[in-house]
Amino acid sequence: MQTRARFFPTLAVLLSLPGAAPAQMAAVDTAPLAFHGFRAGAPLSEIAEQVARLDGGRLRCERAKVDRRVTECRGLLTAPEMGGPVELWVSAVDSVSSVLTLSAEVAGDQLDAWRRDLEKNYGRVGARVQGPQWMMQWVRQNRMIRLTWRVEAASKVASVSLVDGRVLDAWGKERARRAARSS
């Protein structure tokens, strides 16, 4: 599946980029990190409801073969409020999202709208560049939201990733405990 092949390299890049400088304080610093109703650490049922609410679509999910606690989900949103078609990828542990990414080919005004929305909610941060890719990042309460964009051929590709560190940390600790018990 081409989407899956693009997701994992993108995830690797997201997780390998250095952290951005702390965001300036936003009006409400305790707000959960969210983008167009999708939030870090949301249950899969909530994400599926948001997909249906935005455009009547549905989320397609499959359990991982190696670790049955992990579920990988995909969807395609055509919500006008997001500026056009947007691909959705979710990796969940025990039905709670650990990484959720919204990605699309974007026009300049669509990318600007995504950036303005994030800055309005979480404060201004400087953009960082690594090779051909630009990134802005906000972190709150062990959760992260990252806006990433790059130019590919004649188009601009942007993504917003929501990562819940608490879900990933708990999953990693449980995997380590299971590995220690089986040794």
Side-chain angles (χ1 to χ4, degrees):
M1 173 182 233
Q2 184 180 10
T3 301
R4 185 172 288 171
R6 287 189 351 209
F7 175 68
F8 291 108
T10 301
L11 179 58
V13 168
L14 284 173
L15 296 175
S16 69
L17 287 171
Q24 295 173 359
M25 293 301 288
V28 180
D29 194 36
T30 59
L33 294 177
F35 184 71
H36 285 277
F38 295 98
R39 63 183 181 89
L44 284 178
S45 59
E46 178 183 311
I47 296 167
E49 288 171 10
Q50 181 65 6
V51 169
R53 195 172 23 255
L54 281 173
D55 72 351
R58 70 181 191 90
L59 199 58
R60 293 172 312 283
C61 299
E62 293 180 20
R63 288 230 181 252
K65 290 174 180 48
V66 174
D67 187 338
R68 303 298 287 167
R69 296 176 56 205
V70 176
T71 305
E72 298 291 331
C73 303
R74 305 287 180 263
L76 179 64
L77 308 172
T78 55
E81 58 266 36
M82 295 189 74
V86 177
E87 290 182 77
L88 168 68
W89 307 305
V90 181
S91 181
V93 178
D94 295 329
S95 298
V96 176
S97 69
S98 56
V99 180
L100 182 149
T101 300
L102 298 153
S103 179
E105 267 189 38
V106 295
D109 59 339
Q110 183 181 1
L111 175 59
D112 291 343
W114 286 14
R115 190 188 77 243
R116 277 192 309 273
D117 181 51
L118 290 165
E119 288 181 332
K120 181 182 99 184
N121 290 319
Y122 308 115
R124 294 180 59 96
V125 296
R128 297 181 62 135
V129 66
Q130 184 174 12
Q133 186 162 281
W134 290 78
M135 179 271 293
M136 298 172 78
Q137 174 177 292
W138 298 261
V139 177
R140 305 280 191 281
Q141 301 169 352
N142 206 15
R143 292 181 171 144
M144 179 194 72
I145 189 167
R146 182 179 282 165
L147 171 63
T148 306
W149 67 96
R150 67 187 178 284
V151 175
E152 285 185 356
S155 65
K156 197 174 283 188
V157 177
S159 65
V160 173
S161 296
L162 295 135
V163 179
D164 192 313
R166 298 173 311 167
V167 173
L168 290 171
D169 289 347
W171 176 60
K173 288 176 185 173
E174 178 62 26
R175 285 180 55 96
R177 275 193 291 269
R178 287 180 184 189
R181 279 185 279 185
S182 65
S183 299

